[in-house]
Amino acid sequence: MRTGWPILFTPMYFIAIWASHFPNGGWSRSWPPVLPNFPLTHLWFIYVLLELYVVVLLLRGAFVWLDASGRWRAVIDRVFAGIMKSPLAPLVLAIPIGAAFCLDQRWINVTGVRTPDQSLVTNAQAWIGFGTAFAIGWLLHRQIDLLRLIERRWLPHLLLAITLILIRFVLVGAMTSAPGALKLPFGFATLRLVSVILYAPAIWISTFAVIGLALRFMSGFSPTWRYLADASYWVYLIHLPIVMALQVALSQLDWPGLIKFGVLLVVALPPMLASYHLLVRFTFIGVVLNGRRAEKHLLPQGGIATA
């Protein structure tokens, strides 16, 4: 991250200066930032992930040391399996982030989890939301068969996720409308509480729906999907300056938003994937980002082995 941030931030900074020449464009913040304020941009994801790695590895080391017999780890696995086997699992898993939303008086439905992209000190809401997701992934990896439950429930999760997303659009309109523009039979605080009750479970229901869909319909090997999966990390890293430059250019055109969005995708994706293929996939950068790729060797019997 220390290597990638200046490489990515430099073009973004100059793009912001370019944007400032247009009406309502550019950055209003000063430079350099005063620590702990720091523009992590989209790399906040990696920053928080590294923090979670440290915490979880320390906790794991403590558990291994204090629970040498593995008894308490087995209890945790059984409790987690019991939660996941229940159809109410998304509601239980939503309790931590739901509580974090309630305790944040600035939170409204439209904001989601507050991303820690402007400070080196990660906010509590991000720790709780993303930390819970990391922990659930860790526990699922300890009992990989539990993924079959998520796969079998893909349809009800998908239907419920779509329903909650549609309700969310209605609540967003209600919570962001001008005062007095929407007559409510109850107060804003009640509307905010209803949003929390629906939004927090929607996070996990939508997550399970996507995982279930992938397991049900995309678990077979596909060279195309595997290539795109390999390229996704690189595309995530480099996309922001490219997208920013295109947004500035398209901002001067009086086109519908959906047309601009389509043009942005069509123009941005080819150079991203081309740069991955030419600069990353077969170079040391690819090894750093994705690890060493398995090499195929033909066996005497005609099969293929990987090493």
Side-chain angles (χ1 to χ4, degrees), residues 151-169:
E151 179 182 1
R152 289 198 294 270
R153 296 170 181 167
W154 72 269
L155 183 57
H157 282 153
L158 178 63
L159 295 176
L160 189 53
I162 292 173
T163 301
L164 290 174
I165 290 171
L166 293 176
I167 294 174
R168 175 184 178 273
F169 284 136

Side-chain angles (χ1 to χ4, degrees), residues 86-160:
S86 169
L88 299 179
L91 299 181
V92 176
L93 300 181
I95 292 174
I97 189 59
F101 288 153
C102 285
L103 294 174
D104 183 0
Q105 295 302 314
R106 295 173 297 173
W107 185 86
I108 59 174
N109 195 353
V110 71
T111 59
V113 179
R114 286 200 295 119
T115 54
D117 58 345
Q118 296 298 322
S119 175
L120 296 176
V121 179
T122 303
N123 64 73
Q125 193 176 110
W127 266 107
I128 294 170
F130 304 128
T132 301
F134 190 101
I136 298 307
W138 184 286
L139 293 172
L140 273 174
H141 191 266
R142 287 176 57 85
Q143 303 180 78
I144 206 72
D145 289 343
L146 293 175
L147 288 173
R148 301 277 77 85
L149 293 173
I150 299 176
E151 179 182 1
R152 289 198 294 270
R153 296 170 181 167
W154 72 269
L155 183 57
H157 282 153
L158 178 63
L159 295 176
L160 189 53

Side-chain angles (χ1 to χ4, degrees), residues 219-231:
S219 58
F221 178 77
S222 166
T224 301
W225 288 119
R226 177 54 189 267
Y227 184 92
L228 293 175
D230 290 343

Side-chain angles (χ1 to χ4, degrees), residues 77-90:
D77 286 340
R78 286 197 297 271
V79 171
F80 179 70
I83 293 173
M84 292 301 298
K85 290 176 182 178
S86 169
L88 299 179

Side-chain angles (χ1 to χ4, degrees), residues 151-212:
E151 179 182 1
R152 289 198 294 270
R153 296 170 181 167
W154 72 269
L155 183 57
H157 282 153
L158 178 63
L159 295 176
L160 189 53
I162 292 173
T163 301
L164 290 174
I165 290 171
L166 293 176
I167 294 174
R168 175 184 178 273
F169 284 136
V170 175
L171 292 176
V172 166
M175 297 181 74
T176 58
S177 60
L182 184 65
K183 302 299 182 181
L184 298 173
F186 39 78
F188 182 84
T190 302
L191 182 62
R192 183 174 172 276
L193 179 60
V194 172
S195 296
V196 170
I197 293 173
L198 296 177
Y199 191 95
I203 293 174
W204 283 103
I205 293 169
S206 301
T207 299
F208 287 169
V210 172
I211 294 174

